């Protein structure tokens, strides 16, 4: 029994080290200008929060949560901006940057000449995307606490959820990138991302839309992310959180599976 289990453990350990080496490569490749790109992914949702959540919020007043509670508009919008920030950071790293490394820099053609396999490349790139998304989330949660839009305890609870959102969207973005043929294809993905941002219960409750559109919104990944983080950040409760977590875990697993298989076909052909 030991001889059967030990090789599997060794293999998992080796795969983890090889995936970590991909993350280390990305850290080593950082340039000073790159930090400006990282900063931009945090500033955009912060500006939305200050202009719409705080500014327009004085005109809107309170909005209802699914459990019937009324909260100030800024508190309603802030968790959605956090989910959007995690999504944006993860997608930016696993779409444009990932596509450039694979198709134009031919970086992974050299990587597979080493013991690193396509699945480990995908896992390493996802880990790097998670670090970027988590950095956005931590900074944004700090702003929410400073503006008294949530408590420190709730922020600490919401942070793992935001990291899960980054993982899920990072895996999805990586999978989609393997089907892209040119930079022009990213226009469609950008439009889809902006549509999700507007229609995921971000600025108004999903219940405010017509019934059919409401049901459609509730099956989108950003809505599940917003629903999860909003519930944690505002102190709600309910089993629907479990559905959100399972949804995001399934999306992450499916994205990783598709990305690794597609990379194997593209790199070994």
């Amino acid at each position: 029994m030991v001889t059967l289990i030990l090789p599997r453990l060794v293999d998992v350990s080796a795969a983890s080290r090889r995936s970590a080496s991909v993350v280390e490569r990305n850290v080593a490749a950082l340039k000073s200008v790159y930090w400006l790109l990282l900063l931009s992914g945090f500033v955009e949702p912060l500006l939305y929060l200050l202009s719409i959540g705080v500014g327009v919020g004085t005109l809107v007043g309170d909005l209802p949560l699914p459990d019937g509670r009324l909260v100030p508009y800024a508190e309603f919008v802030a968790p959605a901006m956090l989910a959007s920030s995690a999504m944006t950071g993860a997608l930016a790293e696993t779409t444009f940057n990932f596509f450039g490394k694979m198709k134009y820099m031919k970086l992974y053609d050299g990587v597979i000449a080493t013991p690193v396999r396509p699945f480990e490349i995908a896992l390493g790139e996802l880990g790097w995307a998670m670090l970027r998304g988590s950095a956005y989330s931590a900074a944004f949660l700090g702003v929410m606490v400073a503006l008294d839009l949530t408590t420190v305890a709730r922020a600490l609870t919401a942070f793992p959820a935001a990291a899960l959102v980054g993982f899920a969207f990072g895996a999805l973005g990586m999978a989609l990138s393997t089907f892209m043929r040119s930079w022009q294809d990213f226009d469609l993905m950008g439009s889809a991302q902006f549509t999700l941002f507007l229609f995921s219960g971000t600025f108004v409750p999903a219940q405010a839309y017509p019934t059919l559109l409401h049901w459609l919104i509730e099956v989108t990944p950003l809505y599940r992310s917003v629903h999860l983080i909003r519930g944690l950040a505002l102190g709600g409760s309910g089993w629907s959180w479990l559905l959100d977590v399972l949804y995001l875990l399934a999306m992450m697993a499916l994205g990783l599976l598709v990305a690794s298989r597609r990379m194997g076909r593209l790199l070994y052909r």
Side-chain angles (χ1 to χ4, degrees), residues 125-222:
E125 290 292 354
L126 182 58
W128 171 242
M130 184 274 295
L131 289 177
R132 179 172 175 174
S134 296
Y136 291 164
S137 301
F140 200 88
L141 280 168
V143 172
M144 288 176 61
V145 172
L147 294 177
D148 198 27
L149 300 177
T150 189
T151 65
V152 175
R154 291 174 182 174
L156 292 175
T157 305
F159 179 75
L164 175 60
V165 172
F167 266 122
F169 276 100
L172 175 64
M174 199 182 310
L176 292 176
S177 295
T178 61
F179 291 95
M180 300 296 177
R181 298 160 299 177
S182 67
W183 295 112
Q184 285 70 30
D185 291 340
F186 284 94
D187 293 338
L188 296 174
M189 192 168 66
S191 298
Q193 182 179 340
F194 189 64
T195 301
L196 285 177
F197 175 67
L198 292 178
F199 298 99
S200 294
T202 312
F203 300 107
V204 296
Q207 293 80 4
Y209 295 102
T211 303
L212 183 60
L213 184 57
H214 174 203
W215 290 343
L216 181 61
I217 287 173
E218 288 198 350
V219 299
T220 60
L222 185 56

Side-chain angles (χ1 to χ4, degrees), residues 43-61:
V43 171
E44 182 179 351
L46 177 60
L47 292 178
Y48 272 110
L49 173 61
L50 295 177
S51 62
I52 297 179
V54 178
V56 178
T58 58
L59 303 175
V60 175

